[in-house]
Amino acid sequence: MEKLLEIKDVDKHFDISGSFLDQLRLKGGRISRQKTVVKAVNNVTLDVMAGETLAIVGESGCGKSTLARTVMGLYKPNKGEIFYRGNRIDNLSSKNMLPYRTKMQMVFQDPYASLNPRMMAREILEEPVKFHNPTLSRGEIKDRVAEVMLQVGVDPKWASNYPHEFSGGQRQRISIARALVLDPEFIAADEPIAALDVSIQAQILNLLMDAQDKRGLTYLFISHDLSVVEHIATRVAVMYLGCVCELATTKELFSNPQHPYTQALLSAIPRVGGKRGGHTRLTGDVPTPINLPTGCVFHGRCQHANERCTQEIPAQRALESGTVVACHAVEEKRI
Amino acid sequence: MEQLLYIRHLNVDFVLREKTLRAVRDVSLTINKGERLGIVGESGAGKSVLGFSIINLISKPGKITGGEVMFDGEDISKYSYDEMRKIRGNKISIIFQDPMMTLNPVLTIGTQMKETILAHMDVSAKEAEAICLEKLKKVYIPSPEKRLKQYPHEFSGGMRQRIIIAISLLTDPSLIIADEPTTALDVTIQAEIMDLLLELCETDNMGLILITHDLAVVSEVTQRIAVLYAGRVVEIGPTEQIIGNPQHPYTQGLLKALPEMADGENRLNQIPGMMPSLFNMPDGCPFEPRCKEKKEHCTQTVPGLIELENGAQVACFAREGGK
Ligand SMILES: Nc1ncnc2c1ncn2[C@@H]1O[C@H](COP(=O)(O)OP(=O)(O)O)[C@@H](O)[C@H]1O
Ligand SMILES: Nc1ncnc2c1ncn2[C@@H]1O[C@H](COP(=O)(O)OP(=O)(O)O)[C@@H](O)[C@H]1O
Ligand code: SF4
Ligand code: SF4
Ligand SMILES: [Mg+2]
Ligand SMILES: [Mg+2]
């Protein structure tokens, strides 16, 4: 399989110190300047293979959206490199990034916030086509938009409606249409169904899977819903505090999770027809990415943590099964 | 089994300028002492309105326009605001999705808890403090003495929801109504909170009405489930029957739409269309526009609940004649 996207050692940190004056602190009678940095994504290395659905899972604040936005070029990484079909894209000027802006698209959780409320559905879909294909005639643009609307299941007779006139599910169809209308290769979908009801979720997931089949799309699929991920993903990366702690095929991850955090996460999922009890319970809260713990980011909540875990950051290691896991205990064969 | 609360033919309307929105229609259900009942349905189905109407807390212009809510042998739907206040927070507690709907950001947790106790019970300040500590321990808040002096923002989301549960326990209620109590929380925290609610219900023989859109959560926690669609109960029965042997076409479709029920199939089962607007309800069965099994008279008459052999009740003409 060909690598479509390579993410290498990427850090994305946000400096939230504010103005120079906000940064001043009085310590022991002396004024010092203090920076506050959110370490949202830390040393992430991942490949996305052409045609696959790579899911990113993890609890809120673990850096899923930041990673997706960094990949899309909406944020510049503080460290590391991103390659698309072998070409480095993280350091491109907006002009040089332009060709990738058609190949790479993003779908967001809240279709209402991501659609311009003052534009009709038709305009929302025509705008990117016009921008990237200035030579197309009006008729050609219209045809292309109508075709995509049909494909996502929005009747073209609603083309003159505004976003608020659609239901949540229909709005998400329109934002998917907006992503598809440029005929991309890659779509980063950030919690695309989280705001929808179950019966509508199924409609949108089917739509995404159909579009993938028809167009050979590659997805980076972000979700906190593990049963959805189990259904749709080829491989899964589990994130915790900005770090990837495990990367595995969907089958391996769900049947044979290695990292203690993955194990806890999986055992916490409620199952239809399941019974409570017998879960591995995590205690304590997720620390903030402002003061990252030393060593393994998970050590404060890990029942297998030892001295080494508090000091040394575990490196990603590939197991025989192909699963990549960052955990000392797994490496030492303690678990 | 002893009945704790029952609702008969409850109707709740929102009378808006031009039209009337019928949020809850002809709902009847019973909950026994110590029983855990789930109310599931998609957003806008009327779950919250139903939950709030039980304790007469519907926001204006909402109004109970028919039916009764019997609690401990009295029709509390006709209670005055003051009479209701006594019941609410005394025998029935409510837990919201957003803890900040209950918590005051500028008061310490201790102050808020003590206020609640003193409003409902005749105890000294010292005894009130002891009750606070006891309840905080019950919900596994570490170092409760220290925590009492802290403000809501000093707690994480999961901790805040624990505090809310502790507050709801202050007056030893016999029923807790929890409206999407874990929807805003991460799955590991959700699991902790659900374990806690379950443990409390079991040790204190407390009744629970768990309102949620999450079928997996209700299936793990409750003994009976009511499925709400467009303001009506379309199916109600023992949890294992609703989950394992659903009879209403909507419940069946909903369960089959879950990815975990896909059974190796790539495509998920989808229910076409969406729930009708409450302003614009079909004359007959509310599910009729999306139903594969509809018959001619489904468009004209609303089906009532009928008893099935599996102990459940279903509102569907296609199931008449017993099954
Ligand atoms: N633009 C930003 N400025 C400052 N902090 C941010 C920004 N975006 C995200 N963060 C912080 O980075 C962390 C990761 O956020 P995010 O990527 O949104 O997580 P997730 O999508 O997994 O919930 C969080 O602590 C969040 O508050
Ligand atoms: N204060 C209100 N005014 C007008 N309509 C309301 C009000 N509260 C709820 N509704 C309506 O009642 C219906 C049921 O709402 P709700 O009980 O909140 O649904 P659920 O909790 O199942 O998502 C919805 O159509 C909603 O718009
Ligand atoms: S490295 Fe140590 S603390 Fe981290 S997950 Fe493994 S055992 Fe736990
Ligand atoms: S009553 Fe008719 S329309 Fe309604 S669910 Fe049953 S078969 Fe379908
Ligand atoms: Mg996010
Ligand atoms: Mg609600």
Side-chain angles (χ1 to χ4, degrees):
Chain A
M1 247 191 305
E2 188 202 350
K3 285 178 192 170
L4 186 70
L5 199 70
E6 290 167 78
I7 303 167
K8 281 195 176 150
D9 307 320
V10 164
D11 276 4
K12 178 62 207 169
H13 296 171
F14 298 101
D15 188 334
I16 53 163
S17 325
S19 70
F20 179 73
L21 283 176
D22 291 335
Q23 297 173 23
L24 299 182
R25 298 277 180 290
L26 194 62
K27 243 194 232 152
R30 289 174 58 186
I31 292 177
S32 65
R33 191 171 159 194
Q34 194 184 328
K35 291 223 175 234
T36 313
V37 176
V38 182
K39 298 185 173 156
V41 168
N42 302 296
N43 212 30
V44 166
T45 298
L46 284 175
D47 293 335
V48 186
M49 302 298 176
E52 79 167 340
T53 298
L54 177 70
I56 312 265
V57 302
E59 297 176 273
S60 52
C62 72
K64 304 182 292 298
S65 298
T66 304
L67 179 63
R69 285 161 181 263
T70 310
V71 166
M72 293 300 298
L74 300 175
Y75 296 145
K76 287 249 175 280
N78 297 69
K79 190 192 101 204
E81 298 164 345
I82 298 168
F83 296 88
Y84 190 87
R85 293 200 185 278
N87 304 310
R88 187 156 173 202
I89 57 169
D90 61 275
N91 57 355
L92 295 181
S93 65
S94 334
K95 187 164 155 275
N96 291 333
M97 189 68 190
L98 216 51
Y100 298 97
R101 295 240 177 267
T102 60
K103 295 195 178 92
M104 303 170 74
Q105 292 293 319
M106 193 156 176
V107 174
F108 299 90
Q109 168 174 350
D110 181 357
Y112 200 55
S114 62
L115 299 176
N116 185 337
R118 280 181 295 276
M119 280 163 91
M120 294 181 234
R122 176 166 35 81
E123 296 169 318
I124 289 171
L125 299 178
E126 283 174 358
E127 188 190 57
V129 183
K130 274 188 205 149
F131 180 79
H132 288 282
N133 307 276
T135 55
L136 283 186
S137 73
R138 281 181 60 179
E140 285 168 317
I141 295 175
K142 239 183 130 181
D143 290 348
R144 195 146 152 191
V145 165
E147 185 199 317
V148 170
M149 282 185 88
L150 276 178
Q151 198 194 334
V152 301
V154 177
D155 193 329
K157 77 173 186 241
W158 304 118
S160 302
N161 283 23
Y162 290 90
H164 75 263
E165 297 174 276
F166 292 97
S167 69
Q170 297 288 46
R171 281 200 288 265
Q172 197 55 293
R173 288 174 194 272
I174 292 168
S175 37
I176 292 170
R178 183 179 55 180
L180 293 178
V181 77
L182 289 173
D183 202 15
E185 299 173 323
F186 170 83
I187 294 182
D190 190 356
E191 307 260 13
I193 56 162
L196 306 173
D197 281 308
V198 173
S199 72
I200 311 295
Q201 281 188 356
Q203 296 174 2
I204 299 296
L205 284 173
N206 282 341
L207 168 58
L208 286 171
M209 291 187 289
D210 288 348
Q212 183 170 43
D213 286 348
K214 231 177 249 145
R215 298 162 174 257
L217 289 166
T218 305
Y219 287 142
L220 185 70
F221 186 88
I222 294 177
S223 179
H224 65 272
D225 186 333
L226 288 144
S227 54
V228 168
V229 165
E230 185 172 13
H231 186 74
I232 196 173
T234 321
R235 293 188 303 147
V236 185
V238 182
M239 284 183 78
Y240 186 82
L241 270 183
C243 304
V244 172
C245 46
E246 184 162 358
L247 171 67
T249 62
T250 307
K251 194 159 168 276
E252 271 298 309
L253 191 99
F254 283 88
S255 59
N256 199 10
Q258 296 293 318
H259 196 281
Y261 177 64
T262 314
Q263 292 172 352
L265 199 59
L266 291 186
S267 83
I269 322 176
R271 293 283 187 183
V272 169
K275 282 275 164 284
R276 294 229 67 86
H279 300 275
T280 320
R281 285 287 174 261
L282 284 182
T283 48
D285 288 310
V286 185
T288 73
I290 292 177
N291 296 308
L292 278 189
T294 56
C296 171
V297 283
F298 187 56
H299 81 248
R301 298 172 84 194
C302 181
Q303 60 185 90
H304 305 289
N306 65 12
E307 186 59 27
R308 184 180 175 205
C309 301
T310 62
Q311 321 241 320
E312 188 187 326
I313 297 178
Q316 293 200 338
R317 283 192 176 74
L319 308 178
E320 256 171 54
S321 62
T323 294
V324 175
V325 58
C327 170
H328 296 310
V330 172
E331 187 211 336
E332 295 160 9
K333 301 202 163 53
R334 289 197 279 123
I335 54 172
Chain B
M1 258 191 287
E2 210 181 327
Q3 282 183 355
L4 177 63
L5 172 107
Y6 74 82
I7 301 171
R8 288 289 171 270
H9 307 297
L10 189 73
N11 286 329
V12 181
D13 290 345
F14 286 89
V15 183
L16 307 176
R17 245 178 299 154
E18 305 248 296
K19 346 176 201 185
T20 297
L21 186 147
R22 298 162 180 259
V24 171
R25 282 269 75 81
D26 197 23
V27 166
S28 298
L29 41 90
T30 306
I31 171 162
N32 294 317
K33 286 223 161 107
E35 191 181 39
R36 299 184 298 277
L37 171 77
I39 296 181
V40 296
E42 42 202 290
S43 50
K47 303 182 297 295
S48 298
V49 170
L50 175 60
F52 291 164
S53 62
I54 293 173
I55 49 169
N56 230 329
L57 241 193
I58 330 166
S59 52
K60 283 208 170 117
K63 223 177 117 198
I64 296 181
T65 50
E68 52 186 18
V69 181
M70 300 291 284
F71 182 76
D72 259 357
E74 297 197 46
D75 183 359
I76 58 176
S77 69
K78 315 251 165 8
Y79 271 23
S80 70
Y81 183 80
D82 280 334
E83 288 172 314
M84 203 56 225
R85 242 178 66 113
K86 276 211 196 107
I87 302 266
R88 197 156 67 215
N90 218 344
K91 294 179 185 159
I92 305 179
S93 290
I94 187 150
I95 297 173
F96 301 99
Q97 173 177 340
D98 178 4
M100 295 314 282
M101 277 186 66
T102 310
L103 294 174
N104 183 334
V106 301
L107 297 177
T108 64
I109 296 300
T111 309
Q112 303 188 47
M113 293 182 83
K114 280 179 226 159
E115 265 179 13
T116 307
I117 298 174
L118 296 174
H120 291 278
M121 288 186 272
D122 188 20
V123 293
S124 71
K126 213 167 168 168
E127 286 163 320
E129 169 135 354
I131 298 176
C132 292
L133 291 174
E134 180 210 323
K135 302 299 180 195
L136 286 180
K137 280 184 198 141
K138 234 177 157 162
V139 300
Y140 304 108
I141 298 275
S143 26
E145 290 86 356
K146 195 179 105 198
R147 291 305 219 165
L148 269 185
K149 299 193 189 78
Q150 293 182 323
Y151 293 88
H153 74 263
E154 297 176 72
F155 294 81
S156 66
M159 283 285 213
R160 258 181 240 155
Q161 204 56 294
R162 279 173 195 274
I163 303 275
I164 295 295
I165 296 174
I167 291 177
S168 76
L169 296 175
L170 286 172
T171 51
D172 297 316
S174 44
L175 177 65
I176 290 191
I177 301 174
D179 188 3
E180 308 264 9
T182 57
T183 301
L185 302 173
D186 277 312
V187 57
T188 59
I189 315 287
Q190 163 171 297
E192 285 178 33
I193 298 286
M194 282 300 158
D195 283 353
L196 174 66
L197 271 176
L198 193 58
E199 178 191 321
L200 294 169
C201 287
E202 280 177 345
T203 51
D204 295 347
N205 197 34
M206 222 166 23
L208 175 70
I209 296 183
L210 179 64
I211 297 173
T212 174
H213 67 281
D214 190 329
L215 285 157
V217 168
V218 272
S219 86
E220 288 195 341
V221 173
T222 63
Q223 295 146 332
R224 282 196 311 135
I225 294 178
V227 182
L228 216 58
Y229 189 79
R232 291 179 182 273
V233 173
V234 294
E235 185 162 9
I236 179 169
T239 298
E240 66 278 7
Q241 290 298 327
I242 302 292
I243 297 295
N245 182 24
Q247 292 300 316
H248 195 279
Y250 174 63
T251 321
Q252 291 173 340
L254 205 55
L255 279 157
K256 280 203 217 126
L258 294 174
E260 51 189 302
M261 296 295 180
D263 245 354
E265 282 289 313
N266 201 14
R267 278 188 71 80
L268 297 166
N269 179 67
Q270 59 185 55
I271 308 177
M274 52 193 227
M275 203 169 67
S277 149
L278 296 181
F279 284 122
N280 201 355
M281 289 293 286
D283 293 332
C285 170
F287 190 60
E288 173 270 313
R290 302 172 81 181
C291 185
K292 280 191 232 150
E293 294 185 54
K294 68 178 155 209
K295 300 173 177 342
E296 207 178 313
H297 58 294
C298 297
T299 55
Q300 287 138 34
T301 322
V302 181
L305 284 172
I306 51 166
E307 300 270 351
L308 301 176
E309 271 167 21
N310 67 2
Q313 293 172 296
V314 65
C316 172
F317 292 124
R319 303 292 176 264
E320 275 181 359
K323 205 187 162 192

